[in-house]
Amino acid sequence: QKTLAQMDAVLKSTKGSAGMSKKALLDLADAQSKVTTFSKGTTEAGENLMLTFTGIGKKVFPNAMKSAQDMATAMHTDLSSSCMTLGKALNDPATGMAKLTKQGVTFTAAQKKQVKAMVAVGNVSGAQAIMLKELQKEFGGSAEAAGKTFAGKLKILQNTISGVSVKLGTTLMPYLTKFVSFISSHMPQIQKVVTGVIQAIVPKFQQWVKLLGQIINEIMPKFGKSTTD
């Protein structure tokens, strides 16, 4: 619920600059959760980070997310870190290649020249496509390959089962939220009732304990004497 609320917030704050609807983002996360070890929730959180880079448009966004997953898998890092690194690089291709180079991605002199030329004429998406193509060449398919291993399939199964519970929770959440709100708004009355019950029960309980003690005191000497005889 927190992840989805953040998605709504970032879509609103960026005015949908990525060109990705909430449904498209959720569908992408769901599709990737079936072929990679990244759960739907993890991918949605990564999408939220990628959305903050307003220079990444609809044509590039899906491939950018898949490349981030490939990078995270191949370089043994978490998806959030890969999304931040790749998001910064794609948001400003002219200087972004240097950021990716530090992460081990190699660009030729021709690619660097081509990217700068495209950015200069405003073809940012074209420049981003070149960068993603190189990422695909170096890391492409890593996330799906991991999902095809035995351990990967177990992870996907685990994520699927968790997803069922998430869907159930999502269905129940509105009702649970109303229940919590009701409890919160009536807390003074509830505290008063609970206090009254405690005040009524405690004296009775104390009397019962006292009576039980008296009975034990009367019985135990007789029981001890009977045992001795």
Side-chain angles (χ1 to χ4, degrees), residues 171-182:
T171 302
L172 294 176
M173 194 59 68
Y175 303 100
L176 293 174
T177 301
K178 289 181 179 179
F179 175 73
V180 172
S181 298
F182 174 82

Side-chain angles (χ1 to χ4, degrees), residues 60 63-64 67 86 90 128-136:
V60 176
N63 286 334
S67 293
L86 186 55
L90 293 175
Q128 292 170 335
I130 292 175
M131 297 170 69
L132 288 175
K133 185 177 180 179
E134 184 58 36
L135 286 171
Q136 182 68 22

Side-chain angles (χ1 to χ4, degrees), residues 59-136:
K59 292 181 179 180
V60 176
F61 193 95
N63 286 334
M65 281 303 307
K66 293 177 182 179
S67 293
Q69 291 182 328
D70 288 333
M71 281 183 63
T73 302
M75 302 180 75
H76 305 289
T77 60
D78 61 276
L79 184 58
S80 295
S81 298
S82 292
C83 285
M84 287 296 291
T85 299
L86 186 55
K88 289 178 181 178
L90 293 175
N91 203 51
D92 184 7
T95 61
M97 285 186 294
K99 292 183 175 66
L100 291 178
T101 299
K102 291 180 179 179
Q103 298 295 319
V105 183
T106 304
F107 294 98
T108 65
Q111 287 175 323
K112 294 177 181 178
K113 184 177 180 180
Q114 191 176 9
V115 165
K116 290 181 179 179
M118 286 183 167
V119 172
V121 297
N123 187 10
V124 177
S125 62
Q128 292 170 335
I130 292 175
M131 297 170 69
L132 288 175
K133 185 177 180 179
E134 184 58 36
L135 286 171
Q136 182 68 22

